[in-house]
Amino acid sequence: MTGPTPAGPAPTGPTPTTPTPAAPAPPPAGPALSAPYPLSGTPAASYPLTPTLVRLKLSLLRNGLRQSSGRTVAYIGTLVAVLLFTAAQVTGLVLLRGHAHAATVSVLVAAVLAVGWAVLPLFFPSGDETLDPTRLVMLPLRPAPLVRALLVTSLVGIGPAFTLSVLTGAAYAAARGAGAVAVAVVAVPLALLVCVALARAVAAANIRLLSSRKGRDLAVLSGLVIAVGAQFVNFAAQRLGTAGGLAALDPAASVVRWLPPAAAFGAVDSASEGAYARAALQLLLSAGALTVLLYAWQRSLTKLMTAPDGSTLGASGPDRTRNAKAARGVGRLLTALVPEGRTATVMRRSLRYVWRDPKTKAAWATSLAIGLIVPLFNALQGQGTLYFACFAAGMLGIQMYNQFGQDTSAFWMVAQTISSTRDAYLELRARALALLVITLPYSVLVTVATAAVLGDWHTLPEALGLSFALLGAMLATGAVASARFPYSIPQDNGYKNVAPGQAGLAGISIFGGMLGAALLCAPVLALTIWLHVSYTAAPTWLLLPAGTAYGVLIAQGGLRLAAPQTATRLPEILAAVSKG
């Protein structure tokens, strides 16, 4: 039997050790754009952040153009258009040099550019990816260096180049004498920096809104701002032509020249007049505004980097409560006016789309604004007639076109409830009634307001009759166009209202329908002309009941005609509105 092996003497000499594996070599550092701060431990504040962000913006631009040839063509087309517009503006300002009111125009040009820089980021936040500072909040960057870097980065692009060119032309037009030229050399870059800092401060302060659902609604409503702004510009240009030329702008310029950044160009004019103390004060106002904007921008960046995003928290309960109360109020009103059934259900759904769907809301808001502005502005200028009030009914009547496209792919749920011509008729009639809930009182309001401005109460009955006849004709042609030429409305893009490949359908639906409505209104127009030609004191009040009855009959006929086409073409309609 063997026992345990006795332990021998301890071995002498060095104890053998297990070799330690070598640490893996660090991966090679990538290019500067992949890491805006050093990986080796160098403090971020000592790293050249500004060149990195400038290269990052150029890379974003280059890579965006590489995505598709269509985007490249659009960018080049935009660049050419901006260059041509810039050349026209600068040429006009250069030719204005020496004019008695050149300084007035220069000051107002600077003010208009500043307003544009302040407003456009709210409506087009996706136009520049670097406008979103939340993309940088996870990086170890301090707000102060980040503000400086982003300010320099903001000077790269078509917009800053256009602004710099126009400001240079405005300074050239206003500067008279060596002292004014010296002030202009400071005023031009100062005004440009104020414009850019203003845009950045506004974008940073509202970035949570711009990236939310309400922000996308705001972007969709940019069409309303552009349309209304165009009418105001048209009105201002007409008033300018009848008020003695550029001299009419002097009162506005006398106020604006003390508001940054236009104050910098007010300094150029002051220096031209030899008032150097006033010029220095106006330059200080612009420099102070730049300082305040940079501070506000830095505070917004600090808040974005340290405060949590509460846009998805449940604190929106009060908003939901208000929306629910509003919806219940509309529902109770419809219940009192319309018996429960398919008609009331479809009307509530249609009105809810008007209130909640961004695309539908934008279309209605634009139509309401333009339909009010065109007749009233013409009346205020003393150049319009009460017949312009029919424009309101026409603008809202357009909303009857492409009824099923407004439902997008959700139309399949509506299609499940349409199994006969009568079902289709009830669906179309309810949608038309929902439109009339808004259109009828609105048309009356615009017509009465225009008559009050013009003082033409005698023409009010015939203008209302023509409006009602036009509205009935557009309801009729809109119902037929919705059944025959439906098209899809993209929901993932706030600036497209027609899916790719369906522009022809949209053109036929809208413009063909409007032409048909004009032809359908021919009998009422002929009656109006006959009454005025045949009678010295024409009984034009007859046009109110005649136009109203004609509108009701023609709308009823259009709905009856569109109902069987809707019922038999449901698969084609569903395929068309679900595209894209």
Side-chain angles (χ1 to χ4, degrees), residues 112-162:
V112 170
L113 288 173
V115 171
W117 277 91
V119 172
L120 288 182
L122 294 176
F123 296 112
F124 303 100
S126 60
D128 184 357
E129 291 87 348
T130 61
L131 278 175
D132 187 358
T134 58
R135 299 172 183 263
L136 306 174
V137 296
M138 298 301 294
L139 301 179
L141 303 173
R142 295 186 178 276
L146 186 58
V147 165
R148 291 194 296 269
L150 288 177
L151 181 63
V152 176
T153 305
S154 301
L155 299 176
V156 179
I158 298 178
F162 165 76

Side-chain angles (χ1 to χ4, degrees), residues 115-299:
V115 171
W117 277 91
V119 172
L120 288 182
L122 294 176
F123 296 112
F124 303 100
S126 60
D128 184 357
E129 291 87 348
T130 61
L131 278 175
D132 187 358
T134 58
R135 299 172 183 263
L136 306 174
V137 296
M138 298 301 294
L139 301 179
L141 303 173
R142 295 186 178 276
L146 186 58
V147 165
R148 291 194 296 269
L150 288 177
L151 181 63
V152 176
T153 305
S154 301
L155 299 176
V156 179
I158 298 178
F162 165 76
T163 304
L164 178 61
S165 301
V166 175
L167 290 176
T168 303
Y172 178 81
R176 301 187 306 274
V181 171
V183 173
V185 171
V186 178
V188 170
L190 181 59
L192 177 62
L193 290 176
V194 171
C195 289
V196 173
L198 178 61
R200 287 291 186 168
V202 170
N206 295 277
I207 193 61
R208 300 296 191 194
L209 170 66
L210 297 178
S211 58
S212 66
R213 169 65 181 271
K214 291 183 179 180
R216 291 191 291 272
D217 292 356
L218 186 65
V220 170
L221 289 175
S222 60
L224 170 63
V225 174
I226 294 173
V228 175
Q231 295 299 324
F232 275 101
V233 169
N234 180 42
F235 177 69
Q238 294 181 6
R239 294 286 292 179
L240 187 63
T242 59
L246 296 177
L249 299 176
D250 287 340
S254 63
V255 176
V256 174
R257 67 175 62 250
W258 291 100
L259 302 176
F265 284 81
V268 176
D269 183 43
S270 299
S272 299
E273 298 174 353
Y276 294 106
R278 188 173 65 194
L281 179 59
Q282 289 170 322
L283 285 177
L284 286 177
L285 282 175
S286 295
L290 177 61
T291 303
V292 171
L293 289 172
L294 292 177
Y295 177 74
W297 184 10
Q298 182 175 334
R299 287 288 301 268

